[in-house]
Amino acid sequence: MRLKVEFTTEPFELEHVPAHALEARRIVAEAGLDVEVGPFGTSAEGDAETVLAVVDRLFRDTLGVGATRISVQVTAVPAAEEQA
């Protein structure tokens, strides 16, 4: 199964990227997932085990470097043959 994770970390800062946001992107990139940074959050897609491990690290590590809130949505992605 493939999963897509979409997340935001807070507090938002307009003048620079906060440490918790950089940490979140690093976690996803180190897991080998392509990071897509959008205006309202960040997303990545991958196999279920990798995505679930990333979510666990997002919670633990971003809170550890200053995040006060983490919003996460995880969605099952249909296999390519199911989309045809």
Side-chain angles (χ1 to χ4, degrees), residues 9-64:
T9 59
E10 296 178 41
F12 298 114
E13 294 183 30
L14 298 177
E15 293 188 21
H16 68 282
V17 180
H20 55 81
L22 294 173
E23 181 70 5
R25 291 181 201 168
R26 185 188 62 74
I27 290 166
V28 176
E30 281 184 359
L33 303 178
D34 290 328
V35 179
E36 184 176 318
V37 179
F40 302 108
T42 303
S43 64
E45 187 177 312
D47 68 272
E49 289 302 315
T50 301
V51 170
L52 294 173
V54 162
V55 170
D56 179 64
R57 287 197 58 207
L58 280 172
F59 288 139
R60 296 173 190 279
D61 296 357
T62 60
L63 290 168

